[in-house]
Amino acid sequence: MRLIFLDTETTGLKAWDNHGKPFHEITELAIIVHEGGKEVYRACWKFFPRRIETATPIALEIGGYNPGVWAEEAVEVCENFIYNLCTIMDGGVIIGHNVKFDVGFLRALFHDFGIKFKFPPELDTKTLARMVWGFESLKMDSIRKNVEGMTCDGAHRALKDTEDCVFIYNQFQHMMKLAPTKLEATA
Amino acid sequence: MKPGDLVRNKSSESGILGLFIGMRTFVNKHPIQDHRVDYVCAEVMWADNPFGNVISTIQTNLLEVISESR
């Protein structure tokens, strides 16, 4: 089973507008694929916003959007690119921090190109982090500040955030190894 | 089956996936005479729930391991 760790940076918080049409969009997407406990694929793409007029300035700032850099490095998002994403994700399990947010934006992107795809099941590293550390605040920045081995340097860039999802998943697996197999409850 | 394994619910039509957390024992506090049978089942964090990753118990025999943890 392939584990698809991913994160997106976006132009805002709303993948869909009030009429069910795609609204804000992805500016950066990172994917790290693990299979059999090993990393087998890693990629990070910048997407040029096609509806920049809908963008929220603060979201662009947080996501590190820079028109000059994007003009040079952004990939052309086309049907073939989306189909490649389908191939990468198909049959895996998507893992991300507040993963429904990222998958929502991917669904909107696919909708933009009229491509139907049955998205794989999702695991949220927020849930895993709660189990591992029991923090009240499960924001990624808050976890970074409180966990040894994590840092806020380079945060809110898709690849760094994806690497941190891998870190949280590995910490969860480490905890599971140490955990007792049997828990007792009272009927 | 080890904690951290990815498992599938065999009785689910869509083959819902989850992470096996561990075994949970429900102690029978009211045994009939001296016959005490506790209920032991699996605890799984489900991946497909629309409300997020819900953790719930399930009969162990309804699970199959699809990917072992390291």
Side-chain angles (χ1 to χ4, degrees):
Chain A
M1 172 64 66
R2 284 179 310 132
L3 305 178
I4 322 292
F5 297 90
L6 61 78
D7 185 68
T8 60
E9 299 304 324
T10 64
T11 60
L13 297 174
K14 287 174 71 178
W16 307 88
D17 69 9
N18 295 335
H19 307 289
K21 288 184 178 169
F23 190 58
H24 292 139
E25 52 195 326
I26 297 172
T27 52
E28 196 174 36
L29 168 68
I31 292 181
I32 296 175
V33 180
H34 279 212
E35 199 161 9
K38 287 182 182 165
E39 183 179 320
V40 294
Y41 181 80
R42 164 186 292 241
C44 182
W45 304 276
K46 292 180 174 66
F47 301 164
F48 214 80
R50 283 160 289 121
R51 296 183 291 272
I52 191 70
E53 70 282 359
T54 65
T56 315
I58 187 74
L60 294 177
E61 191 184 327
I62 289 171
Y65 177 72
N66 178 327
V69 174
W70 258 247
E72 281 182 19
E73 299 180 8
V75 294
E76 188 194 346
V77 182
C78 56
E79 279 189 11
N80 275 346
F81 181 84
I82 306 276
Y83 283 126
N84 277 338
L85 287 182
C86 295
T87 308
I88 293 166
M89 292 191 289
D90 198 25
V93 175
I94 295 178
I95 303 175
H97 207 72
N98 196 16
V99 67
K100 288 210 176 297
F101 175 87
D102 303 291
V103 171
F105 273 89
L106 283 171
R107 285 184 197 278
L109 176 69
F110 283 36
H111 182 273
D112 265 344
F113 287 86
I115 293 171
K116 289 185 177 167
F117 176 62
K118 187 178 185 302
F119 277 80
E122 304 144 13
L123 283 172
D124 199 326
T125 49
K126 278 173 87 169
T127 313
L128 302 180
R130 178 179 284 130
M131 290 180 73
V132 176
W133 297 291
F135 294 144
E136 197 125 303
S137 170
L138 294 165
K139 287 181 179 172
M140 188 62 106
D141 278 341
S142 175
I143 294 170
R144 285 175 179 132
K145 284 173 190 163
N146 289 293
V147 173
E148 203 180 320
M150 296 185 87
T151 169
C152 289
D153 293 347
H156 300 292
R157 296 310 300 270
L159 190 56
K160 155 73 175 162
D161 289 5
T162 307
E163 285 171 345
D164 284 345
C165 289
V166 175
F167 180 89
I168 293 171
Y169 183 80
N170 287 339
Q171 291 298 308
F172 169 79
Q173 286 293 352
H174 182 66
M175 183 193 80
M176 285 288 105
K177 271 186 192 166
L178 304 176
T181 313
K182 285 199 172 185
L183 306 169
E184 196 159 282
T186 305
Chain B
M1 194 154 51
K2 303 189 302 297
D5 285 351
L6 266 173
V7 292
R8 186 192 307 277
N9 180 349
K10 289 191 283 187
S11 71
S12 148
E13 279 184 25
S14 61
I16 183 170
L17 302 179
L19 277 172
F20 174 62
I21 305 295
M23 301 299 291
R24 181 170 283 266
T25 303
F26 289 90
V27 177
N28 183 353
K29 281 174 66 181
H30 306 288
I32 298 169
Q33 293 173 345
D34 289 335
H35 184 67
R36 187 185 126 169
V37 180
D38 295 338
Y39 178 62
V40 181
C41 56
E43 197 163 40
V44 176
M45 184 175 114
W46 299 108
D48 297 55
N49 197 299
F51 303 106
N53 294 143
V54 171
I55 297 172
S56 69
T57 52
I58 180 173
Q59 282 176 230
T60 314
N61 64 322
L62 296 181
L63 294 177
E64 63 176 336
V65 176
I66 54 168
S67 184
E68 289 192 9
S69 63
R70 282 161 284 159

